[in-house]
Amino acid sequence: MALVRPVRVVLENLPENYFEEHELVYHPSDTAFGSRRVPFARTLFIDSSDFRESDSPGYFRLAPNKTVGLNGVPYPITCTGVRRAADGSVSEVLCRYENEASVPKPKAYIQWVADSPQHGSPVRIDELRVYNPLFKHANPDEKSVTGGFMNDVSETSLEIIHGAVADIGLWDSIKRYAATDAGKKELNEQNVETLRFQFMRIGYFALDKDSSMPLSAIESDQIASTKLVMNRIVTLKEDAKKDA
């Protein structure tokens, strides 16, 4: 699980040192890919796209007084309020972990990442490069665009995002790759582009050559000595009419 623009969530009814561990599969329909165990704590992150301050009838993710499920977690969370930064933006979403109450099954489940540094979570992605369509029109010729295709280049064709995070499964996958003979060879030759991942509900990503992935740092579990730069290489097909 990965979050492009994470927002902090605090589960106020849990103690500061609360800790659970949940087993999540890498592929929901193919157990051959294996699983990983991830921490769950009082403080976690969700993607900003999964929270709204203003609810609407067709929206099923998190909003004030609304309950949503967390992927792989047995109990849902309910939003009880927000905390704001000095500029008025939402700095934290306040929630209740529904582990002691009977609530209806949520209509939506969202991804999350625990804020549990002692367990290596979250894995911070130094730079996420999201490539969007280069042109504003499907066929930017002189008939449809005044001045031709050079006047039709989209200003948002490349988004460079800092602050994205992922669960510890990302780092575990890198370590497993580095333990193979093929992985050692590629990393020693600084060929990191062969490392590719699917981020749930976001797309497929590959490490960029601008990443710094010393084999010694991976083998000694020193993620702070690495630099993760990831490119989106394939988007996911979405229903543009779907609000949830």
Side-chain angles (χ1 to χ4, degrees):
M1 296 183 291
L3 312 172
V4 176
R5 294 179 175 86
V7 59
R8 186 182 299 273
V9 172
V10 178
L11 305 178
E12 291 193 297
N13 61 320
L14 298 181
E16 291 284 348
N17 61 349
Y18 189 84
F19 173 76
E20 291 180 7
E21 200 171 38
H22 297 288
E23 186 166 358
L24 303 178
V25 297
Y26 281 105
H27 195 295
S29 57
D30 191 346
T31 57
F33 282 85
S35 61
R36 77 277 192 196
R37 298 190 68 81
V38 300
F40 178 84
R42 181 178 188 265
T43 303
L44 50 90
F45 299 99
I46 64 172
D47 198 82
S48 60
S49 64
D50 286 329
F51 173 75
R52 290 182 185 175
E53 287 193 77
S54 299
D55 199 3
S56 61
Y59 182 75
F60 300 122
R61 285 171 277 170
L62 197 61
N65 302 312
K66 201 160 195 171
T67 300
V68 72
L70 301 175
N71 287 321
V73 178
Y75 303 105
I77 61 174
T78 300
C79 178
T80 58
V82 299
R83 290 196 181 107
R84 298 187 183 278
D87 63 0
S89 62
V90 174
S91 60
E92 291 182 341
V93 179
L94 307 178
C95 292
R96 179 175 61 250
Y97 187 42
E98 302 290 9
N99 59 337
E100 296 182 353
S102 178
V103 296
K105 183 178 179 179
K107 293 184 178 180
Y109 287 78
I110 61 176
Q111 60 252 50
W112 56 278
V113 175
D115 184 14
S116 186
Q118 64 269 39
H119 300 100
S121 182
V123 175
R124 300 193 181 276
I125 301 172
D126 296 276
E127 189 171 298
L128 200 67
R129 299 171 180 173
V130 177
Y131 292 89
N132 299 308
L134 180 59
F135 299 110
K136 299 174 183 177
H137 297 83
N139 185 20
D141 57 19
E142 293 185 359
K143 294 180 180 179
S144 57
V145 179
T146 302
F149 71 93
M150 288 301 293
N151 289 335
D152 200 51
V153 175
S154 173
E155 298 84 357
T156 60
S157 60
L158 172 60
E159 293 181 80
I160 297 179
I161 301 166
H162 300 280
V165 299
D167 74 57
I168 60 175
L170 175 63
W171 183 241
D172 288 344
S173 296
I174 293 172
K175 289 192 295 183
R176 289 205 315 272
Y177 177 74
T180 66
D181 290 339
K184 291 179 190 293
K185 179 177 182 298
E186 294 291 342
L187 290 168
N188 278 325
E189 295 175 356
Q190 299 182 3
N191 295 328
V192 298
E193 294 98 326
T194 55
L195 275 165
R196 302 182 177 189
F197 308 90
Q198 180 184 358
F199 291 164
M200 183 186 300
R201 294 173 53 213
I202 302 172
Y204 292 86
F205 289 78
L207 279 175
D208 187 85
K209 64 180 180 180
D210 291 338
S211 300
S212 176
M213 303 293 291
L215 181 60
S216 58
I218 300 173
E219 291 178 332
S220 59
D221 207 21
Q222 297 296 318
I223 191 171
S225 299
T226 66
K227 178 182 179 183
L228 297 177
V229 179
M230 309 197 78
N231 299 324
R232 187 173 72 177
I233 54 176
V234 180
T235 61
L236 297 180
K237 185 181 293 186
E238 294 186 358
D239 184 354
K241 297 179 181 179
K242 189 174 182 180
D243 189 31

